[in-house]
Amino acid sequence: MKRLALLLGVILISIVIMVFGYRSFSSHKFSGEVLQQPMKIPPIVLRSDAGPVRLEDFHGKLILLYFGYTSCPDICPTSLANIKMALSGLTPEEAAQVQVVFVSVDPARDTPEALGKYVKLFQDEFIGATGTREEIDLMTSAFGAKYKLNEHDANGNYSVDHTSFTILIDRNGYYILKFPHETTSTKMSEDLRYLIKNEMPISAQILAGPTYTPVVCAVTLIPSHVDGGEWLYQHHCAQCHGADMAGNPAWQTELQDGSHFPPPLNQTGSAWQYSEQDLINIIKEGRNLDKPIHMPAFKSTLANWEVKFIITYMKSKWDINQLNYQHGFMTLTPQATSTPAPAIPSP
Ligand code: HEC
């Protein structure tokens, strides 16, 4: 009896420590708008005065990304000045862990050289980059940013309307948060300092903001099922979802006809948020079959056990918290973000 009481006591204390530990972890209230679902950054190469730049080049640092143009009369300069002030609110060691990247949506006028000069008016370490119209469109649509080139005036000058938020990308290359234009530099510093001090695992980023109840569990994936699933995946799914399950980088963007590109099925997508039964249904019945781009039905091609093997293989790419969540061992209660979506500024 005494032993049982002792055991129960130990379990209780562990639970208290765990819950308390996670509470203090999620105690920071972000001023930026936390994305309910972080997005892996698209692998786009842009040009700067120092040569080609890719966002992946800054893996290990936080990135502040801003879309604008150098002839911008007020919004861009105030945003860049605000970012500079937010960085000066950090220690030099902390600030060195943040890379600022200014991407011009006006490549016709903003050469990489002109951009380099422009950003250095604010801080030497800032990077200014741009790309072809197509690269810029891919990138802005991936980040949910918008812009519009206005009519030329008699002198051939034109203004550009563009979204004015600052995008924050974490050390692992995930877009996790955005700062609305009106975020003060002090508030931005606080969020940056928190993210610099607290290494958030990817799963925790997904859960950033929301509170959650973790329960330790062990999901065992049978190695032979994972292997079999991999073979089946490569033969039936890889042509759309990618050999590495990364999906199409623009999977979150809705196309004009309402269809979506194939999403990732690994830990960067949202497949882990479905129950086992829902996944089976999606794979057997397909989804949005009436749309030009859709998930085909596999009920006449794959046997039930084959579908299950493929799902096991998908799970081998998820992290432990995602597995816990999918198996119902962990709950997720997202907090509504209070900050409204920033509007496109009027010219
Ligand atoms: C012809 C291309 C194509 C093939 C082949 C394909 N898919 Fe898909 N799949 C899609 C598209 C497109 C979507 C998104 C559909 C939508 O949301 O309307 C999708 C969605 C999904 C989803 C939902 C994921 C989410 O996060 O919402 C799952 C799960 C999935 N596919 C699994 C598979 C599996 C497993 C296979 C192989 C057996 C497979 N797909 C083969 C195109 C394909």
Side-chain angles (χ1 to χ4, degrees), residues 9-279:
V10 169
I11 293 177
L12 205 74
I13 290 170
S14 325
I15 292 179
V16 166
I17 291 176
M18 255 169 47
V19 169
F20 184 76
Y22 274 93
R23 281 274 157 72
S24 59
F25 164 78
S26 60
S27 64
H28 179 78
K29 177 92 187 69
F30 285 99
S31 304
E33 201 180 313
V34 177
L35 266 69
Q36 293 298 332
Q37 211 172 306
M39 183 197 84
K40 182 81 187 150
I41 50 176
I44 299 169
V45 188
L46 298 173
R47 274 159 291 279
S48 76
D49 58 351
V53 259
R54 297 180 320 151
L55 293 175
E56 286 106 313
D57 296 343
F58 310 112
H59 194 97
K61 280 190 178 187
L62 300 177
I63 304 172
L64 288 176
L65 173 69
Y66 189 87
F67 292 105
Y69 68 114
T70 64
S71 347
C72 178
D74 45 14
I75 305 268
C76 309
T78 47
S79 296
L80 286 172
N82 197 47
I83 290 174
K84 181 188 158 96
M85 262 163 61
L87 294 184
S88 63
L90 302 173
T91 66
E93 292 75 30
E94 287 170 339
Q97 298 188 46
V98 184
Q99 178 62 56
V100 176
V101 181
F102 179 83
V103 172
S104 170
V105 294
D106 186 19
R109 287 185 294 188
D110 291 342
T111 60
E113 291 68 34
L115 272 165
K117 282 213 188 88
Y118 179 73
V119 293
K120 285 181 182 60
L121 293 175
F122 297 90
Q123 197 153 311
D124 276 348
E125 292 76 19
F126 287 9
I127 290 178
T130 190
T132 60
R133 176 67 51 218
E134 201 185 12
E135 286 161 341
I136 290 165
D137 286 350
L138 253 174
M139 193 156 165
T140 45
S141 79
F143 285 105
K146 297 199 166 66
Y147 72 92
K148 183 173 151 275
L149 306 176
N150 291 314
E151 297 287 315
H152 292 222
D153 67 12
N155 302 320
N157 294 327
Y158 55 92
S159 61
V160 185
D161 299 345
H162 59 92
T163 31
S164 57
F165 51 79
T166 302
I167 289 161
L168 189 138
I169 296 163
D170 78 354
R171 297 177 201 280
N172 299 316
Y174 283 82
Y175 168 27
I176 53 168
L177 182 137
K178 68 179 170 199
F179 293 110
H181 183 63
E182 51 291 352
T183 311
T184 64
S185 58
T186 325
K187 293 279 176 209
M188 201 185 275
S189 292
E190 284 167 8
D191 281 3
L192 288 171
R193 186 173 305 112
Y194 179 82
L195 288 168
I196 290 167
K197 292 228 170 92
N198 298 274
E199 286 289 348
M200 285 209 219
I202 292 172
S203 48
Q205 289 157 15
I206 293 170
L207 305 159
T211 48
Y212 61 106
T213 327
V215 180
V216 180
C217 86
V219 179
T220 6
L221 302 176
I222 300 167
S224 64
H225 293 196
V226 176
D227 283 357
E230 178 169 11
W231 191 90
L232 290 161
Y233 175 87
Q234 296 303 344
H235 283 78
H236 296 283
C237 325
Q239 73 265 37
C240 292
H241 292 279
D244 53 358
M245 284 196 199
N248 184 301
W251 64 283
Q252 277 162 312
T253 315
E254 188 166 291
L255 304 177
Q256 253 163 10
D257 55 23
S259 52
H260 288 91
F261 288 124
L265 301 178
N266 60 16
Q267 85 284 5
T268 69
S270 56
W272 59 274
Q273 294 179 8
Y274 292 97
S275 69
E276 184 96 4
Q277 194 52 52
D278 285 345
L279 285 175

